[in-house]
Amino acid sequence: MLDIPLRVRVDVDPLIAEQRDMGVCDAIGRNAPAGKPAGMSTPHLPKVAGIDSSTHDPEHTAAHTQAHASAAFTAAEALTAADPSPVPAIGTGALIQDRLASWVSDLTTLHELTERLARAAPLDDALHELLRAGAALVGARRGMVVLEPPEGRGPAITTGLGLAHADLGHIETVPRSATPHGRILDGSPSSVPGAVAQADLFRDEGLDPRLREVAARLGYAASYALPLATQEAGKLGVAVWFYDEPAEPVERQRHLVGLYGRYATEHLARLLELDRARRRLATITEELLPSRLPRVPGVRLAARHLRGPRGGGEWYDALPLPEGALGLAVGAVSGSGPSALAAMGRLRASLRAYAVMEGEDPVAVLSDLELLLRLTEPARSATALFAYCEPALRKVVLAGAGHTPPLITGTRRTEFVETSLSAPLGMLACWEAPSVEFSPAPGETVLLYSDGLLRHTGDSMDRAFARLHSAAASVPRALRDDPAAVVDHVLRTALPGASLPGADAEGPGTGPSTADGCGDTEDVVMLAAWFE
């Protein structure tokens, strides 16, 4: 085997096989076109994992060539077949060694960059990684990606590398027909356009004056636009890199960034599809949860639902009952995704029916719910808590099935309501647990929440309960008469990284959960009832 003087490891995978099939050895073995001004040459690729993409000195490989002469001439025959350009008779083995070394180095660089892109799961992170890697491949410092997927496949996004929002705004003031990336985006949606290089903007007599003005203001003199399009994924957008001086990528760089762009397009298409599925799931989730909370004399309500990436099984409900009573419920279905979402919708609808029929007896409501779950979905379990409230009497009767206990907070006390231990629904042949009765004082708030809140803290259960208790006890006195303000304060304190949506004081709110420092991805639900 030919001994290549590079300490690299090249994984044999479909990506490298693709480069070999497309003649990447031929592409990267050629030099830049003859007669090209020195000012238009771009820097070599930066080192990736300790690999320098520049061609090695033939003297460095002479000893290895003498030791493996026969293997070198065998490789020479293969390279000659791939590259018909004449090869000097003297130093043939050294030249082949250098070409193979450059080929392996470029493939390793490309492999490293695509692996980094594959680890960039959020769409914004993937776009920034695309810009950084492309800038390294074409020898630029700044860039911009414009993502405009077909209607319904995802949002339109414009992101810059080394460009502020104001700079991107200046570029967007130029008519799209006057810019290479605009022409790529507005071209035929069924075709895959080619890359466009503008080597010297200020010597281009046909350049639109508005583009010339923006280029002078931002300080770039050349650009290279690469379409993000494949036959399989369609046209998703375009990436543009800007040079401070007149320049353009050489053939080897164009080939490498083109291969990288194809992989990036497929990766972005997968992320867009995943994002679209999540948005659809979130829409269905909100349709299954209460669109508004009821108004019952003597009590004020507020709720928050923070969506997690894998959520869908946690829910809450509030419904008016006969004689001025109120039913409050929270629960969670095992599993995640669409199946858990569907089970959650069925469970919540069933609980509403049982609450209307026998809501004054929470144990009977949960018993009926457990029987239904066991008969219709024997492979699934769920936790639930149902409270029957009489606001005029400030009386609450509740029963729980494997669910976390409510928290009552006011100016004089903050404590968990003691409930009996019970198994989740669907875990036992016959579920039953005693109910608990308590009376909130005027101005106190009862908080019902899902166990996802505790897991999102990232602490052990004991510490998570302590953190929740401390968050409720720290609610400022001025906010205690507003249940929405109480809920927001508790969530922000218990989950410092949570992004809370806006909501009315007596209405539900929804939004994405972004709790920092926690790997859990469940939903978070909190329902608050403030008693007059």
Side-chain angles (χ1 to χ4, degrees):
M1 178 181 292
L2 188 63
D3 185 10
I4 299 174
L6 287 177
R7 296 181 180 178
V8 299
R9 177 181 65 84
V10 181
D11 296 331
V12 181
D13 59 8
L15 175 65
I16 295 181
E18 179 186 18
Q19 321 311 318
R20 184 169 57 248
D21 294 340
M22 297 188 62
V24 68
C25 179
D26 177 44
I28 65 178
R30 297 193 182 99
N31 295 324
K36 187 171 184 176
M40 296 179 66
S41 299
T42 54
H44 291 293
L45 293 176
K47 290 186 178 181
V48 178
I51 301 168
D52 190 349
S53 61
S54 59
T55 304
H56 292 267
D57 187 353
E59 296 180 0
H60 177 73
T61 60
H64 296 277
T65 303
Q66 294 176 0
H68 302 279
S70 60
F73 282 107
T74 302
E77 294 176 358
L79 283 177
T80 302
D83 187 354
S85 58
V87 178
I90 301 176
T92 300
L95 178 60
I96 294 172
Q97 285 262 12
D98 293 334
R99 289 188 177 182
L100 287 176
S102 178
W103 176 55
V104 172
S105 178
D106 285 338
L107 288 178
T108 306
T109 298
L110 195 61
H111 190 61
E112 292 274 351
L113 294 177
T114 52
E115 280 190 335
R116 293 181 188 177
L117 181 62
R119 291 193 293 268
L123 185 60
D124 290 341
D125 291 353
L127 293 176
H128 283 96
E129 179 60 31
L130 163 64
L131 285 175
R132 286 191 294 266
L137 289 173
V138 301
R141 291 193 311 110
R142 295 180 289 175
M144 175 183 72
V145 60
V146 181
L147 198 66
E148 291 187 3
E151 185 177 358
R153 292 189 58 183
I157 301 174
T158 301
T159 302
L161 173 68
L163 295 172
H165 289 293
D167 299 333
L168 297 176
H170 288 311
I171 296 175
E172 290 177 348
T173 61
V174 181
R176 289 168 68 110
S177 59
T179 62
H181 66 273
R183 292 192 293 270
I184 291 175
L185 291 171
D186 294 339
S188 174
S190 59
S191 62
V192 178
V196 179
Q198 289 184 314
D200 193 341
L201 290 171
F202 300 104
R203 290 188 179 182
D204 186 353
E205 297 180 355
L207 192 68
D208 189 287
R210 286 162 293 187
L211 178 57
R212 190 188 307 274
E213 179 184 351
V214 169
R217 177 180 296 183
L218 300 184
Y220 68 88
S223 67
Y224 185 73
L226 178 70
L228 301 176
T230 63
Q231 291 291 350
E232 296 77 12
K235 185 165 61 178
L236 302 182
V238 62
V240 191
W241 291 278
F242 303 105
Y243 298 90
D244 297 340
E245 302 291 338
E248 64 177 305
V250 298
E251 181 182 0
R252 166 172 160 263
Q253 292 174 315
R254 294 189 187 203
H255 190 69
L256 286 175
V257 76
L259 294 172
Y260 181 79
R262 287 172 50 191
Y263 178 86
T265 301
E266 297 293 338
H267 182 63
L268 293 176
R270 290 190 293 268
L271 292 181
L272 285 171
E273 184 64 29
L274 181 60
D275 181 70
R276 181 171 61 168
R278 285 174 176 170
R279 286 187 284 110
R280 287 177 175 175
L281 188 64
T283 300
I284 297 174
T285 301
E286 301 315 319
E287 291 296 327
L288 291 175
L289 292 176
S291 58
R292 64 178 59 187
L293 298 176
R295 295 179 180 270
V296 177
V299 65
R300 293 167 59 189
L301 303 175
R304 294 292 182 268
H305 173 216
L306 308 183
R307 294 191 299 269
R310 293 190 300 107
E314 308 211 3
W315 53 277
Y316 68 91
D317 204 355
L319 66 158
L321 296 174
E323 300 180 357
L326 174 70
L328 302 176
V330 291
V333 176
S334 61
S336 60
S339 62
L341 181 61
M344 177 269 283
R346 292 190 293 268
L347 202 67
R348 173 177 170 260
S350 300
L351 186 141
R352 291 176 70 91
Y354 297 143
V356 171
M357 292 187 295
E358 46 192 4
E360 68 279 359
D361 186 355
V363 172
V365 172
L366 294 186
S367 297
D368 292 342
L369 195 64
E370 193 276 337
L371 178 60
L372 177 69
L373 183 69
R374 187 153 41 89
L375 294 177
T376 59
E377 300 186 57
R380 193 180 297 277
S381 62
T383 64
L385 186 148
F386 178 72
Y388 178 79
C389 307
E390 297 180 81
L393 303 176
R394 290 196 301 277
K395 175 183 175 182
V396 180
V397 181
L398 65 87
H403 204 80
T404 51
L407 179 63
I408 185 169
T409 180
T411 56
R412 296 185 178 182
R413 63 170 175 170
T414 297
E415 60 187 25
F416 290 100
V417 177
E418 293 187 8
T419 58
S420 58
L421 296 176
S422 60
L425 303 175
M427 298 293 291
L428 301 177
C430 181
W431 177 91
E432 187 170 352
S435 60
V436 175
E437 181 178 328
F438 66 96
S439 296
E444 288 187 330
T445 302
V446 178
L447 297 175
L448 309 182
Y449 53 93
S450 64
D451 51 4
L453 170 62
L454 301 177
R455 282 193 282 270
H456 263 289
T457 64
D459 296 330
S460 63
M461 277 298 168
D462 290 342
R463 296 189 63 180
F465 275 116
R467 176 184 288 194
L468 179 58
H469 182 278
S470 176
S474 66
V475 175
R477 182 181 294 271
L479 302 179
R480 288 195 173 273
D481 292 340
D482 184 352
V486 171
V487 171
D488 290 344
H489 177 87
V490 170
L491 289 177
R492 288 195 180 98
T493 306
L495 306 176
S499 175
L500 300 182
D504 296 334
E506 297 186 26
T510 60
S513 175
T514 56
D516 293 335
C518 178
D520 203 283
T521 55
E522 295 183 16
D523 288 9
V524 173
V525 164
M526 179 168 283
L527 177 62
W530 176 85
F531 289 84
E532 293 181 355

